[in-house]
Amino acid sequence: SLFRLKDLELPELGDSDVHVKMLAAPINPADINMIQGTYAILSPLPAVGGNEGVGEVLEVGRRVAALKPGDWVIPAGAGHGTWRTQGVFPEETLLKVPSDIPVLCAATLSVNPCTAYRMLADFETLAPGDSVIQNAANSGVGQAVIQIAKASGIKTINVVRDRPDLPKLVERLMALGADHVITEEMLRKPEMKDIFKSIPKPRLALNCVGGKSTTEMLRHLQPKGTMVTYGGMAKQPVMVPV
């Protein structure tokens, strides 16, 4: 496939439009997949990449009531095209966010933390003291799950791949509020029983890996527990032990 970089002119500011200067925009795997043409959402060409980010309002059209210059905004939906210096967008495609939060937090607010929140809230009614198990716990969603769970009094068992600097990663996730950080290998060890002496078995498992990692997580779920799959990084099927 052939790509050409093209400069786009800023369109005129319409009555219901907002002129935004982008402050920061991350690169997520899904952004790359959209460029490759392998994602569920495809933008018509010529397209601007990037689905998330934060911008500062420079100017608003005369019918815009909810936003004013200086406000921070994030995209309200996907396919927004955040990898640009400036853009003119219809008011309804933007959401105002507080401008006193760190710029990198604002720029990464609309994808991973929202996914984490919905998965913790939508499938099981969790109460303080309950536990959740998740793999790829050091991903963007995983880190958000740890922080939201911690704030809600929910315990997290966080599975990560083994690596040379494992102690550093464990320390980082514990600092975010993780209760337990274990490797995929540990999931299969008898020592797992020790974890469940102090916390209940999880009612909810969050999976974005697939393959063996998922099968081993399922073994530790409470009866009638729920597993939510939101990705398949191992590109292997989800196998259920009986």
Side-chain angles (χ1 to χ4, degrees):
S1 61
L2 188 63
F3 285 106
R4 283 192 305 278
L5 183 61
K6 192 177 159 189
D7 283 332
L8 296 178
E9 288 292 312
L10 268 183
E12 288 282 298
L13 185 74
D15 287 350
S16 304
D17 289 341
V18 181
H19 180 190
V20 176
K21 173 179 84 170
M22 292 306 298
L23 300 174
I27 301 173
N28 287 310
D31 302 330
I32 305 296
N33 297 148
M34 278 176 82
I35 293 167
Q36 291 166 331
T38 58
Y39 201 65
I41 306 163
L42 296 178
S43 303
L45 300 172
V48 179
N51 285 292
E52 114 179 295
V54 64
E56 182 186 335
V57 175
L58 295 179
E59 198 185 347
V60 299
R62 61 190 181 89
R63 284 216 200 101
V64 173
L67 297 170
K68 62 183 189 308
D71 285 346
W72 279 14
V73 288
I74 63 172
H80 198 75
T82 53
W83 298 348
R84 58 173 111 206
T85 49
Q86 297 190 13
V88 171
F89 308 106
E91 180 186 15
E92 71 270 11
T93 64
L94 301 168
L95 294 170
K96 183 178 167 179
V97 293
S99 54
D100 59 354
I101 59 176
V103 74
L104 295 184
C105 292
T108 54
L109 200 59
S110 60
V111 176
N112 297 321
C114 299
T115 303
Y117 179 79
R118 294 299 301 260
M119 290 197 301
L120 286 170
D122 288 5
F123 300 93
E124 285 279 347
T125 310
L126 299 170
D130 283 343
S131 79
V132 174
I133 190 166
Q134 63 166 347
N135 54 23
N138 53 326
S139 67
V141 171
Q143 292 182 58
V145 164
I146 290 170
Q147 293 171 82
I148 296 166
K150 175 76 174 172
S152 314
I154 294 158
K155 308 286 183 198
T156 56
I157 302 159
N158 301 282
V159 185
V160 296
R161 279 183 299 192
D162 202 3
R163 64 200 64 214
D165 58 349
L166 184 67
K168 237 196 218 127
L169 175 61
V170 172
E171 195 183 329
R172 198 159 61 81
L173 297 183
M174 296 297 267
L176 288 178
D179 295 283
H180 298 276
V181 182
I182 58 172
T183 62
E184 298 198 335
E185 291 69 36
M186 248 200 81
L187 274 174
R188 298 191 270 286
K189 300 257 171 77
E191 289 83 40
M192 277 300 288
K193 287 197 184 75
D194 296 339
I195 288 179
F196 300 121
K197 283 177 186 158
S198 58
I199 63 173
K201 285 206 157 194
R203 296 211 342 244
L204 182 65
L206 305 176
N207 163 51
C208 73
V209 178
K212 221 180 226 164
S213 161
T214 309
T215 310
E216 296 304 333
M217 270 204 322
L218 274 171
R219 290 185 203 283
H220 300 297
L221 260 191
Q222 268 188 39
K224 292 198 169 76
T226 304
M227 186 182 80
V228 181
T229 291
Y230 67 100
M233 291 193 314
K235 293 188 170 61
Q236 289 163 351
V238 170
M239 312 270 255
V240 180
V242 287

